[in-house]
Amino acid sequence: MDTTIRNEVEKINIDAILIRDVPLAPLCSYRTGGDADLLGTPSNLSELRALLAYASEHGLSITVLGGGTNVLVSDRGVRGLTILTTRLHQVHVRGTLLCAQAGLSVDKTIQIAIEHSLCGLELLGGLPGTIGGAVRGNAGANGVWLSDFVEWVDYIDMDGTLGRVFRSEMDFSYKHSCFSSNNYVIYEVVLRLIPNKETSEAMRMREQSRRKRFVAGQFDYPSAGCMFKNPEGYSAGKLIDQAKLNTLTVGGAAVSHKHANFIINRSGDATSMDMYRLSQQIAEHVEKSEHIKLEREVQLIGQW
Ligand SMILES: Cc1cc2nc3c(=O)[nH]c(=O)nc-3n(C[C@H](O)[C@H](O)[C@H](O)COP(=O)(O)OP(=O)(O)OC[C@H]3O[C@@H](n4cnc5c(N)ncnc54)[C@H](O)[C@@H]3O)c2cc1C
């Protein structure tokens, strides 16, 4: 770490942004899982760097959590340091570029874009989670993907060094970016959007996309959206339907009757292990009956 950064980091009161033994269930959309040994909640770059320096000094592993809407947290919790990005939510607009810190919610990002007469993201209306999490997994809906708009991403490596990666180097593909396979923390996302003065039409489209999710029952029960990626040329949900697995349950975990690729915490007191076992059973049945391997989209966090 260079001297300027070290000086900056030493000014941070680490105790003010570090909490011990924090239950993660309330921070995740499944509402399951154990505690984080240590939870860091940075609100700026210096605090983020200070947390990474602290982890390095104490030999702690790092887990990043955004909105917690695409993760399954182990019931045994998460050792080391968990960094929650949701206090990193500054945003500014320069021409057609919207620069959002990683913890800003996708919905808020869309709203701010439209307020600045910038469009393109409306069909992602109602997508749960943060912009950092969405870029990491190249989230998408209604034929629109985050990768369509990313200009560049600023990230922090484990040494606290700030780096920049441009869209052409991000290795985007279906539900994948270069951040899916490295352990960098996305700090800021820069999107190039489309100038459009028709803001009321954009607001209407965003609201319609949001409402469609409620009507489809996506928020009726705690879930993390689709458990599995769609195998090339197939819909994971349809494969689960075809294999007649809609009534499968493990403990409090069940296959959603409205969308077979959603595994839901139907009882409200399911464990992460219930979710995990049900997903294993589904994948095994589908492989046996349809001869297709399902790959989990939801990320496993903590000790499995
Ligand atoms: C009801 C419901 C509907 C959904 N519908 C859709 C949909 O239509 N399309 C879709 O694509 N997804 C959907 N999802 C899944 C989820 O909303 C997206 O994947 C979302 O982008 C995840 O963002 P997050 O901030 O919650 O990430 P998290 O769940 O917090 O994290 C997901 C992964 O990203 C990593 N991560 C998070 N932030 C960062 C960061 N700043 N730097 C580096 N790594 C990071 C985490 O370590 C983890 O591996 C849905 C989920 C729910 C609950």
Side-chain angles (χ1 to χ4, degrees), residues 122-141:
E122 308 74 67
L123 294 178
L124 299 177
L127 180 79
T130 62
I131 196 73
V135 168
R136 187 254 182 216
N138 191 16

Side-chain angles (χ1 to χ4, degrees), residues 13 22 37 70 84-85 102-103 121 123 125 134 137 139 157 161 175 204 220 224 279 282:
N13 174 11
V22 181
D37 282 359
N70 206 26
L84 181 70
T85 64
L121 302 172
L123 294 178
D157 69 16
T161 307
K175 300 284 166 113
R204 192 192 62 75
D220 289 358
S279 73
I282 290 170

Side-chain angles (χ1 to χ4, degrees), residues 27 29-30 63-71 85 88 102-103 106 124 126-142 145 175 179 182-187 213 218-219 221-226 262 297 299-301:
L27 300 177
S29 57
Y30 266 136
T63 301
V64 185
L65 195 62
T69 64
N70 206 26
V71 291
T85 64
L88 291 167
V106 172
L124 299 177
L127 180 79
T130 62
I131 196 73
V135 168
R136 187 254 182 216
N138 191 16
N142 302 310
W145 302 91
K175 300 284 166 113
F179 295 99
N182 64 34
N183 58 356
Y184 299 157
V185 183
I186 296 173
Y187 168 66
R213 290 178 183 273
Q218 290 196 3
F219 301 105
Y221 295 96
S223 84
C226 292
F262 275 42
E297 175 182 328
Q299 303 295 307
L300 301 182
I301 298 259

Side-chain angles (χ1 to χ4, degrees), residues 115-165:
E115 284 167 5
H116 286 81
S117 302
L118 293 175
C119 296
L121 302 172
E122 308 74 67
L123 294 178
L124 299 177
L127 180 79
T130 62
I131 196 73
V135 168
R136 187 254 182 216
N138 191 16
N142 302 310
V144 173
W145 302 91
L146 250 299
S147 53
D148 300 338
F149 301 98
V150 171
E151 192 73 7
W152 72 78
V153 168
D154 286 340
Y155 63 87
I156 300 281
D157 69 16
M158 293 301 125
D159 294 333
T161 307
L162 193 59
R164 175 166 295 179
V165 57

